[in-house]
RNA sequence: GGUCGCGUAGCUCAACUGGCAGAGCAAUUGACUCUUAAUCAAUAGGUUGUAGGUUCGAUUCCUACCGCGAUCACCA
């Protein structure tokens, strides 16, 4: 039967319930017990009256007897209903009698009151005195035996998956517990939790492509946070010596099994300590989560057994590379020599500095071999503009990263608090054309001014919570530790029919259009594309495809609500001619890979 | 963004080399007072992701688009 027909049957049942005087969507339940409370305290509750409520997950009716299973947050238990021994349909009490059970469907939210008891087969059940429908469902859940396997449905409509397959709820509950235990861990150590801005006028504290947004009230472009670190440092200067944020981060970059554009990172700042303090702090944090949430220290991560009880080795990056490749980057003094050594490792990708070459060699030859939790420290200063140089060798900085099962799980350093040095490093690294390209963030003079008021010696850690969750819950895809992962918007054809969505309206749901210059001109002429507001944003994009430079234009603010990409010709003149009054904001040329 | 793969009933899956699109569950109707993937009988359910093309004939072959996945690049 088509979905729309199945739904029509349910709508008719709702009408029938109303004819019987029953409200298919009452406001309140009379629940007295969770299902796990009943099954867990059966001996104490046997014979007593209890009311459970939840989703009806299965339904077995046979003449004068019926059995169902009710699922709530705590678990699932059976309800047993017998004709003649339970209340009939009663508008005043809101109860549904046996004679109207054809109006009940699997998937409905129900409430059942009765005696706690066992059926003849010995299953703990509520022997029903009465049944109420608390919410009538309009759509059928997937088959309870085969469940839901379509990856797209699992990701787009996770509520279906975690209802039909309750075992998939478990690791999300554990992730919630992890958040609680992280807060407890830091609170117990005297840290204060702050909220820092997500919409920031400058993005800083890392190198990443930002999401750009616009604040109408201030008529200015702003950025979604790529990091919260610069705000934590302002708090340190303000005299809050131990602070942390569980912050949402947004990076407009690639998506894969360990990267998601929106993610959560724990960031801390501790004054009057250096990076060595943090090594101990994060080691303790992992151990605390392992024992408090999971009650063990050994975990299976990507097929490896990882033990968080052991002391984590601390290895200099140069030593790690030396051991793996025989190349001692400490002894290398010129870029050319470093690149020759790289080439000898089969890495034909010349780097701009000795430090970059070291990191390249490390990523290629060492990173994936680090299975047990390991600290790699002493990063080259070229890639660490915010960290303090090591006293023993100023080519390297007081910084460490954590690797577990070949995955980077945190980046941490002693913070550079010399404002003159920092500004010099920034100015050297910053190139205006790299702005918004993820190469380096813009110069933040407000931050430098803050440092000039003296920020005490400080250190911070920044483990990504999704990766931590993947390690502890055994998930190998970041999409499985994010309940609502990012998906392209989609309005299904069947929903267009059911909800009577007109094509023009549906077009608002579609995001991107790809048009040739001729098509674009035609669409403008036909009035298919019109500005939504008073301004349009135009971004020229230059694509380098095997040496051929191609150019296209991305326009946002036209009536389809998404991005219009036009190939082949400069459209700014055409737009200006078609909409004389419109303000066209031309953004800098963006470079993309072919 | 590149490359490769996938998309069939509400769900899980069939359909050989291009030849009448099928089954189980769910749904509807009926039987059944201890079932738990309840059982039994009957009925109904499809624009094969969308739009084109090739062909006497397309779920199958071709093109474009939409969505998802894998992988590479960038990044954490």
């Amino acid at each position: 039967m088509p979905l729309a027909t199945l739904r029509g049957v349910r709508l008719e049942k709702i009408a029938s319930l109303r004819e019987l005087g029953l409200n298919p969507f009452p406001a309140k339940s009379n629940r007295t017990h969770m299902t796990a409370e009943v099954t867990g305290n059966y001996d104490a509750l046997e014979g007593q009256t209890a009311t459970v409520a939840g989703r009806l997950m299965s339904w077995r009716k046979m003449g004068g007897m019926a059995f169902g299973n009710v699922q709530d947050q705590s678990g699932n238990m059976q309800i047993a209903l017998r004709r003649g021994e339970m209340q009939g349909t009663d508008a005043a009490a809101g109860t549904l009698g046996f004679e109207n059970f054809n109006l009940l469907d699997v998937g409905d939210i129900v409430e059942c009151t009765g005696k706690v008891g066992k059926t003849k087969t010995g299953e703990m059940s509520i022997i029903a005195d009465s049944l109420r429908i608390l919410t009538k469902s309009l759509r059928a859940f997937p088959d309870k035996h085969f469940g839901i396997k379509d990856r797209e449905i699992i990701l787009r409509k996770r509520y279906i998956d975690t209802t039909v397959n309750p075992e998939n709820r478990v690791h999300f509950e554990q992730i919630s517990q992890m958040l609680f235990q992280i807060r407890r861990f830091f609170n117990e150590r005297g840290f204060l939790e702050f909220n820092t801005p997500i919409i920031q006028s400058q993005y800083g504290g890392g190198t990443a492509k930002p999401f750009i947004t616009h604040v109408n009230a201030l008529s200015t472009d702003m950025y979604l946070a790529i990091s919260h670190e610069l705000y934590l440092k302002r708090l340190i200067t303000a005299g809050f010596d131990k602070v942390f944020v569980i912050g949402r981060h947004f990076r407009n970059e690639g998506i894969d099994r360990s990267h998601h554009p929106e993610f959560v990172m724990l960031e801390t700042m501790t004054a009057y300590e250096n990076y060595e303090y943090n090594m101990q702090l994060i080691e303790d944090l992992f151990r605390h989560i392992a024992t408090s949430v999971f009650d063990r220290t050994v975990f299976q991560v990507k097929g490896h057994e990882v033990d968080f009880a052991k002391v984590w080795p601390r290895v200099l990056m140069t030593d790690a590379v030396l051991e793996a490749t025989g190349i001692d980057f400490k002894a290398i003094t010129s870029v050319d020599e470093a690149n020759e050594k790289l080439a000898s490792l089969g890495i034909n990708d010349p780097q701009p500095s000795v430090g970059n070459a070291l990191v390249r060699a490390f990523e290629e030859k060492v990173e994936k071999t680090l299975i047990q939790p390991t600290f790699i420290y002493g990063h080259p200063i070229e890639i660490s503009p915010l960290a303090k140089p090591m006293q023993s060798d100023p080519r390297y900085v007081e910084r460490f990263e954590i690797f577990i099962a070949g995955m980077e799980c945190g980046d941490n350093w002693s913070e550079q608090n010399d404002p003159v040095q920092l500004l010099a490093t920034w100015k050297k690294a910053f190139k205006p054309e790299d702005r918004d390209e993820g190469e380096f963030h813009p110069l933040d003079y407000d931050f430098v001014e803050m440092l000039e008021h003296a920020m005490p010696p400080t250190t911070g850690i920044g483990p990504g919570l999704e990766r931590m969750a993947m390690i502890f819950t055994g998930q190998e895809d970041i999409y499985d530790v994010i309940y609502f992962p990012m998906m392209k918007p989609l309005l299904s054809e069947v929903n267009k029919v059911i909800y009577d969505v007109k094509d023009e309206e549906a077009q608002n749901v579609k995001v991107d259009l790809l048009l040739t210059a001729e098509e674009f001109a035609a669409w403008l002429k036909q009035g298919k594309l019109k500005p939504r507001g008073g301004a349009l944003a135009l971004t020229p994009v230059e694509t380098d495809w095997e040496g051929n430079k191609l150019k296209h234009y991305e326009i946002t603010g036209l009536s389809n609500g998404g991005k219009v990409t036009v190939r082949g010709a400069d459209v700014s003149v055409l737009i200006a001619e078609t909409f004389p009054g419109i303000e066209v904001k031309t953004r800098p040329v963006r470079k993309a890979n072919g």
Side-chain angles (χ1 to χ4, degrees):
Chain A
M1 214 180 281
L3 179 65
T5 316
L6 291 173
R7 185 171 171 272
V9 171
R10 301 286 181 102
L11 285 169
E12 283 168 22
K13 290 182 179 180
I14 286 178
S16 300
L17 287 168
R18 291 208 161 104
E19 277 171 33
L20 291 168
L22 298 176
N23 178 2
F25 302 96
K28 194 176 180 305
S29 160
N30 302 312
R31 168 154 79 182
T32 62
H33 291 76
M34 300 297 281
T35 59
E37 285 182 79
V38 177
T39 55
N41 303 294
Y42 179 81
D43 290 343
L45 290 171
E46 186 171 20
Q48 294 188 32
T49 296
T51 300
V52 297
R55 192 176 296 278
L56 187 67
M57 293 304 290
S58 63
W59 184 245
R60 303 172 290 282
K61 185 168 175 291
M62 47 194 46
M65 187 93 199
F67 302 89
N69 282 78
V70 171
Q71 177 171 296
D72 62 19
Q73 182 176 316
S74 71
N76 180 311
M77 78 175 293
Q78 178 168 271
I79 58 176
L81 311 98
R82 199 192 301 250
R83 183 167 57 203
E85 295 190 14
M86 58 179 294
Q87 194 169 353
T89 298
D90 184 313
T95 56
L96 187 73
F98 206 98
E99 66 276 20
N100 295 119
F101 275 0
N102 62 327
L103 300 179
L104 199 60
D105 286 289
V106 169
D108 290 350
I109 307 294
V110 300
E111 171 189 292
C112 183
T113 302
K115 297 272 189 302
V116 175
K118 283 185 179 170
T119 56
K120 281 183 184 168
T121 54
E123 175 149 352
M124 290 180 274
S125 306
I126 299 290
I127 313 297
D129 295 325
S130 65
L131 183 84
R132 291 173 68 211
I133 291 184
L134 293 182
T135 311
K136 186 72 194 148
S137 66
L138 283 180
R139 302 235 186 174
F141 268 91
D143 181 86
K144 59 179 170 288
H145 182 55
F146 293 104
I148 188 90
K149 292 183 180 169
D150 185 328
R151 183 71 175 157
E152 187 170 351
I153 298 180
I154 291 174
L155 297 178
R156 285 188 187 280
K157 304 176 199 305
R158 182 90 69 177
Y159 56 89
I160 292 177
D161 180 48
T162 53
T163 301
V164 178
N165 304 316
E167 66 275 14
N168 291 346
R169 295 167 58 102
V170 174
H171 69 268
F172 286 109
E173 290 167 1
Q174 290 168 338
I175 290 166
S176 173
Q177 281 299 307
M178 283 176 59
L179 280 171
F180 169 71
Q181 290 296 346
I182 288 168
R183 290 196 158 97
R184 198 180 135 198
F185 178 90
F186 284 105
N187 287 335
E188 282 174 354
R189 282 162 179 73
F191 282 77
L192 297 175
E193 180 175 1
F194 275 83
N195 281 324
T196 45
I198 281 173
I199 298 175
Q200 305 179 351
S201 57
Q202 301 265 19
Y203 60 99
T207 54
K209 289 185 196 174
F211 286 92
I212 303 169
T213 186
H214 187 80
V215 179
N216 290 339
L218 302 177
S219 60
T220 184
D221 279 353
M222 289 210 179
Y223 305 91
L224 301 190
I226 62 165
S227 165
H228 295 261
E229 164 183 331
L230 301 187
Y231 290 92
L232 288 177
K233 289 179 178 171
R234 287 171 169 94
L235 290 166
I236 292 291
T237 297
F240 299 102
D241 289 345
K242 292 175 158 190
V243 292
F244 75 102
V245 57
I246 294 177
R248 313 198 70 93
H249 294 62
F250 306 87
R251 299 187 181 176
N252 211 341
E253 292 167 352
I255 297 177
D256 63 33
R257 286 164 74 85
S258 57
H259 293 86
H260 189 265
E262 174 179 356
F263 64 103
V264 181
M265 203 154 87
L266 164 71
E267 285 183 275
T268 75
M269 281 292 158
T270 312
Y272 308 101
E273 298 287 357
N274 77 348
Y275 73 121
E276 288 171 314
Y277 165 90
N278 270 340
M279 289 194 195
Q280 198 57 51
L281 186 71
I282 197 152
E283 199 177 319
D284 290 344
L285 174 65
F286 270 73
R287 207 165 286 136
H288 173 74
I289 292 170
T291 54
S292 66
V293 180
F294 300 90
D295 201 25
R296 58 192 160 100
T297 61
V298 178
F299 292 81
Q300 291 291 325
V301 186
K302 291 185 170 179
H304 304 283
E305 198 166 88
V306 173
D307 189 352
F308 290 103
K310 293 179 186 154
V311 173
W312 301 8
R314 304 178 179 190
V315 186
L316 277 169
M317 183 181 274
T318 46
D319 287 348
V321 172
L322 176 61
E323 191 184 327
T325 67
I327 297 171
D328 186 1
F329 276 83
K330 281 200 300 288
I332 296 176
T333 50
S334 77
V335 183
D336 290 343
E337 189 189 351
N339 281 326
E340 275 170 34
K341 294 286 188 187
L342 265 193
S344 76
L345 295 172
I347 305 168
N348 293 305
D349 181 17
Q351 299 294 311
S353 74
V354 179
N356 284 80
L358 167 65
V359 171
R360 190 77 176 78
F362 173 79
E363 287 171 351
E364 195 76 23
K365 297 294 175 188
V366 183
E367 191 168 318
K368 286 183 174 53
T369 70
L370 299 173
I371 304 302
Q372 294 302 316
T374 306
F375 293 114
I376 294 293
Y377 71 103
H379 293 55
I381 194 164
E382 293 93 328
I383 63 156
S384 317
L386 294 175
K388 270 194 178 174
M390 289 183 128
Q391 285 199 338
S392 56
D393 189 341
R395 291 177 297 171
Y396 305 100
V397 295
E398 292 197 356
R399 173 180 178 184
F400 68 89
E401 287 179 293
I402 300 149
F403 292 92
I404 301 170
M407 192 160 60
E408 197 214 307
C409 294
D411 193 0
N412 323 259
W413 53 76
S414 302
E415 305 293 345
Q416 176 57 276
N417 62 347
D418 177 341
V420 177
Q421 283 261 322
L422 182 78
L423 188 59
T425 311
W426 273 5
K427 285 212 165 180
K428 200 173 148 200
F430 177 67
K431 301 189 199 75
E433 64 270 26
D434 288 343
R435 190 185 163 86
D436 298 353
E437 285 314 300
E439 299 299 325
F440 199 75
H441 56 77
L443 302 183
D444 188 342
Y445 296 107
D446 183 65
F447 179 75
V448 175
E449 179 190 334
M450 182 278 290
L451 284 186
E452 292 187 356
H453 284 100
M455 181 179 82
T458 299
T459 185
I461 59 174
L465 289 195
E466 282 84 5
R467 289 190 178 178
M468 205 188 276
M470 287 166 72
I471 286 167
F472 282 118
T473 63
Q475 300 297 321
E476 296 197 355
D477 188 342
I478 198 167
Y479 271 39
D480 285 320
V481 295
I482 298 172
Y483 196 92
F484 303 106
M486 189 176 284
M487 303 288 280
K488 276 208 170 190
L490 181 70
L491 182 59
S492 67
E493 293 300 317
V494 68
N495 274 354
K496 277 186 203 169
V497 173
I498 289 175
Y499 300 133
D500 191 26
V501 180
K502 302 283 182 291
D503 275 347
E504 311 85 75
E505 191 184 338
Q507 223 182 40
N508 286 335
V509 177
K510 290 199 168 189
V511 262
D512 297 343
L513 286 171
L514 177 63
L515 302 173
T516 64
E518 292 75 32
E519 285 170 331
F520 181 67
W523 282 46
L524 285 183
K525 203 173 175 184
Q526 292 161 21
K528 281 186 180 174
L529 295 171
K530 285 177 189 157
R532 309 182 105 197
L536 295 174
L538 181 67
T539 310
V541 182
E542 199 173 84
T543 310
D544 192 333
W545 195 72
E546 289 178 358
N548 298 316
K549 295 223 187 281
L550 302 175
K551 211 165 189 183
H552 66 263
Y553 293 83
E554 294 175 355
I555 307 142
T556 51
L558 288 173
S559 60
N560 84 326
K563 182 177 74 180
V564 181
T565 302
V566 183
R567 280 183 175 156
D570 189 339
V571 290
S572 53
V573 177
L574 185 59
I575 293 172
E577 281 173 1
T578 315
F579 310 114
I582 198 81
E583 180 192 354
V584 179
K585 296 187 173 180
T586 306
R587 294 220 160 89
V589 177
R590 185 157 69 78
K591 287 176 187 157
N593 296 328

